[in-house]
Amino acid sequence: MTTRTPIMAGNWKMNLNHLEAIAHVQKLAFALADKDYEAVEVAVLPPFTDLRSVQTLVDGDKLKIKYGAQDLSAHDSGAYTGEISGAMLAKLKCTYVAVGHSERRQYHAETDEIVNAKVKAAYKHGLTPILCVGEELDVREAGNHVSHTLAQVEGGLKDLPAEQAESVVIAYEPVWAIGTGKVCGAEDAQEVCAAIRGKLAELYTQELADQVRIQYGGSVKSGNVAEIMAQADIDGALVGGASLDADEFVKIVRFRDQ
Ligand SMILES: O=C(CO)COP(=O)(O)O
């Protein structure tokens, strides 16, 4: 049986400027100890404008915290005003990049085709995508959450070779639980995460499926993280609001103590 290292990632969304980012990462670094990093991979996903500052701090102080971006362009370079390429993120030594977050799908009309192109762009530039999937409330109420989410997984990974897919991180984030305080019940989250692992086994192999880390995201806090992490197919959390409070995020990283 594969042992998957849990991954706790803070998606800051459009919060914290580059000066606030430095202060925030310093707080995290001060609080987190080697034993935390041995047990859990810790990552932050700041806004683009913070990345250079975070890189300088992480490099300078040799911090074990990883960082990445919240999005990337599907294109390598060129006349795409406002976009940021995977190559640019790689140059900033980003490890991760979120792809297909529901806020990108909703406000920027990102389809599974676009998300798939972005996943491929991430790998092309040596970044690990955190592929975000999850259903809206009406889909859950109609009982179609599993098939909806699996279609997003399949669409996002289309034609992706196993050598790449084996390192992908998938974040199951039911849209109705994001920023609402409504957490998906741990067993309901487990149902979908287990189905995602089953889909990976179908698309690739059971061995690959057992290796991929699947996060839950949506109103994760120190008070509910332990129950979520106790589920067999949940290997971490993608944390929005609660990641903006350093003490709270540290408690989430230390989910075993909660
Ligand atoms: O969207 C999320 C992380 O990507 C979840 O956000 P909240 O933790 O604020 O609900």
Side-chain angles (χ1 to χ4, degrees):
M1 158 118 194
T2 324
T3 43
R4 299 180 290 267
T5 305
I7 173 169
M8 294 300 180
N11 173 10
W12 297 358
K13 307 193 179 185
M14 198 170 69
N15 295 291
L16 307 183
N17 62 40
H18 71 288
L19 300 174
E20 292 164 336
I22 293 170
H24 191 72
V25 173
Q26 277 171 333
K27 264 196 205 169
L28 294 177
F30 186 73
L32 292 168
D34 278 353
K35 67 171 178 21
D36 294 309
Y37 297 109
E38 280 156 23
V40 176
E41 199 177 334
V42 185
V44 291
L45 308 180
F48 289 129
T49 50
D50 298 2
L51 286 171
R52 174 64 178 158
S53 304
V54 170
Q55 178 200 14
T56 305
L57 176 61
V58 167
D59 273 2
D61 290 358
K62 302 205 171 10
L63 304 182
K64 291 183 176 161
I65 201 158
K66 304 213 173 126
Y67 58 90
Q70 298 170 15
D71 183 35
L72 83 169
S73 174
H75 307 285
D76 288 344
S77 65
Y80 300 101
T81 302
E83 294 204 27
I84 301 291
S85 72
M88 292 168 177
L89 299 177
K91 198 78 181 163
L92 289 164
K93 297 206 183 113
C94 287
T95 301
Y96 292 105
V97 60
V99 176
H101 190 279
S102 62
E103 288 148 19
R104 301 291 316 171
R105 293 179 191 258
Q106 192 179 346
Y107 307 134
H108 300 271
E110 290 195 9
T111 60
D112 285 333
E113 289 71 30
I114 294 171
V115 171
N116 180 236
K118 290 187 173 193
V119 165
K120 289 173 181 163
Y123 279 115
K124 181 171 179 185
H125 297 288
L127 304 162
T128 299
I130 300 177
L131 169 61
C132 304
V133 294
E135 81 286 352
E136 295 81 10
L137 186 58
D138 58 329
V139 176
R140 175 156 288 256
E141 282 173 348
N144 297 328
H145 47 289
V146 173
S147 58
H148 176 95
T149 303
L150 295 187
Q152 289 180 330
V153 170
E154 194 159 3
L157 299 180
K158 191 165 185 287
D159 300 328
L160 198 73
E163 308 82 75
Q164 296 183 337
E166 67 185 12
S167 65
V168 74
V169 177
I170 297 183
Y172 169 57
E173 301 202 302
V175 179
W176 49 271
I178 295 179
T180 57
K182 282 189 205 161
V183 200
C184 182
E187 281 163 23
D188 288 336
Q190 163 61 20
E191 177 200 18
V192 184
C193 292
I196 292 172
R197 204 174 299 289
K199 173 56 78 178
L200 291 169
E202 182 191 313
L203 294 173
Y204 298 96
T205 61
Q206 187 63 51
E207 195 190 356
L208 183 146
D210 286 340
Q211 192 174 323
V212 168
R213 292 177 298 175
I214 303 175
Q215 297 175 309
Y216 167 78
S219 299
V220 173
K221 298 183 176 55
S222 60
N224 58 29
V225 67
E227 194 191 350
I228 291 163
M229 290 303 291
Q231 303 301 314
D233 289 292
I234 302 181
D235 310 309
L238 187 55
V239 187
S243 75
L244 300 174
D245 177 333
D247 295 335
E248 181 68 4
F249 190 58
V250 167
K251 282 188 195 160
I252 290 170
V253 170
R254 295 189 180 139
F255 66 92
R256 291 187 178 90
D257 300 343
Q258 306 309 316

